[in-house]
Amino acid sequence: MKTAVDHLVEKLNGLAPEIALVLGSGLGGLVEEVSDPVRVLYGDLPGFPKSGVSGHAGEIVGGLFSGVPVLMLAGRSHYYEHGNAAAMRPALEALAGVGIRKLMLTNAAGSLRPEMGPGSVMLITDHINFSGSNPLFGEPTDRRFVGLTGAYDADMRGALEKAAADTDTPLNQGVYMWFSGPSFETPAEIRMARTFGADAVGMSTVPEVILGRFLGLRVAACSVITNLAAGMTGAELSHQETKDMAPQGGARLATILRKAIGDL
Ligand code: HPA
């Protein structure tokens, strides 16, 4: 049987990207900016997750983004969909298998800092895994003991910071705390998160960072802030708000990525 790697290599037809971008809420439209696109549905790739959060079939789009060969992953599997933190492992292994060396992850998140409001972008400098889970549960080899001290690649962060400065796009930095979801946090959990040193909270990305490092990929990640976290405004949180607000920060992050991609 053909593997996901076989399928991708065949489809890419000589295109050899070194970087893959995982598009979170607010960034899905970036696939339209890929020139000479090759599109592959996750459903055609053995091991790839079957569905995404909005029920969309996920797809990989390969081609040139700002002139640079890339793979974009539109649609990711979240831990809260099934309780399997390793759901993205086969997909990330396939990326590594076709020669991807760097992973640029994006997501939507709630902010713990009042001045970093909806529409802001935050470069993730580090994370706190508060889910109690890990995508490497059950991995039998000693490779499971992955060091995460330098998980968020210094050079990639530098390229993102430079692109933000060059395009006059505000870019915050901070620590992302992974909650399992799918329920939002309580105000008490947000107070705890702040005490623990978090700047933003969300329900994704950390498993992919751990898997990426496990696979030897260099990793960077950015959050688009869709809301102030639970208890900070008195309003109830909703997924609709996440979807409505994600395009604002998404547009800013897209500006940064277009400029940064050549240096990432
Ligand atoms: N909490 C968790 N995940 C999120 C949030 C939030 O406030 N906003 C967007 N994703």
Side-chain angles (χ1 to χ4, degrees):
M1 202 183 83
K2 267 201 211 167
T3 64
V5 172
D6 297 334
H7 270 284
L8 281 171
V9 166
E10 191 178 308
K11 283 274 195 173
L12 290 173
N13 193 22
L15 185 81
E18 282 199 356
I19 184 161
L21 292 83
V22 176
L23 307 178
S25 304
L27 280 176
L30 222 54
V31 295
E32 307 307 332
E33 297 182 26
V34 174
S35 55
D36 301 325
V38 174
R39 310 180 92 102
V40 190
L41 294 175
Y42 286 1
D44 294 333
L45 296 169
F48 272 60
K50 292 278 172 285
S51 76
V53 61
S54 300
H56 286 177
E59 65 171 345
I60 293 199
V61 178
L64 300 180
F65 174 59
S66 293
V68 178
V70 299
L71 292 183
M72 289 191 186
L73 274 71
R76 58 147 62 92
S77 194
H78 298 84
Y79 177 61
Y80 60 72
E81 293 175 61
H82 33 57
N84 173 17
M88 290 293 284
R89 180 169 172 170
L92 296 180
E93 284 174 338
L95 296 186
V98 299
I100 293 294
R101 295 284 161 261
K102 296 174 195 170
L103 202 53
M104 177 71 228
L105 302 162
T106 67
N107 63 34
S111 170
L112 272 60
R113 302 210 306 248
E115 78 287 0
M116 183 169 74
S120 304
V121 181
M122 188 185 91
L123 174 62
I124 300 179
T125 56
D126 203 348
H127 75 230
I128 300 169
N129 178 354
F130 192 66
S131 72
S133 193
N134 194 295
L136 297 176
F137 280 171
E139 163 61 34
T141 70
D142 276 358
R143 289 174 55 225
R144 63 187 153 193
F145 301 111
V146 179
L148 295 175
T149 307
Y152 296 84
D153 191 81
D155 290 341
M156 293 177 74
R157 279 160 56 187
L160 291 160
E161 284 179 69
K162 181 172 182 306
D166 288 350
T167 57
D168 274 327
T169 311
L171 180 62
N172 303 274
Q173 302 203 10
V175 173
Y176 175 89
M177 190 161 181
W178 177 34
F179 281 81
S180 72
S183 52
F184 283 105
E185 300 74 30
T186 62
E189 286 166 345
I190 293 304
R191 289 193 295 277
M192 175 202 70
R194 190 175 292 117
T195 305
F196 279 13
D199 299 287
V201 292
M203 306 177 192
S204 69
T205 304
V206 167
E208 290 123 300
V209 171
I210 296 170
L211 287 166
R213 295 303 298 145
F214 173 70
L215 296 169
L217 305 178
R218 294 168 68 178
V219 176
C222 285
S223 294
V224 302
I225 301 298
T226 54
N227 57 282
L228 294 178
M232 291 175 68
T233 67
E236 190 52 279
L237 304 186
S238 73
H239 185 55
Q240 192 59 44
E241 179 182 41
T242 302
K243 288 199 282 193
D244 290 347
M245 298 307 293
Q248 289 188 20
R252 283 181 164 163
L253 181 50
T255 301
I256 295 171
L257 290 173
R258 277 181 211 111
K259 182 78 180 178
I261 193 76
D263 298 324
L264 277 174

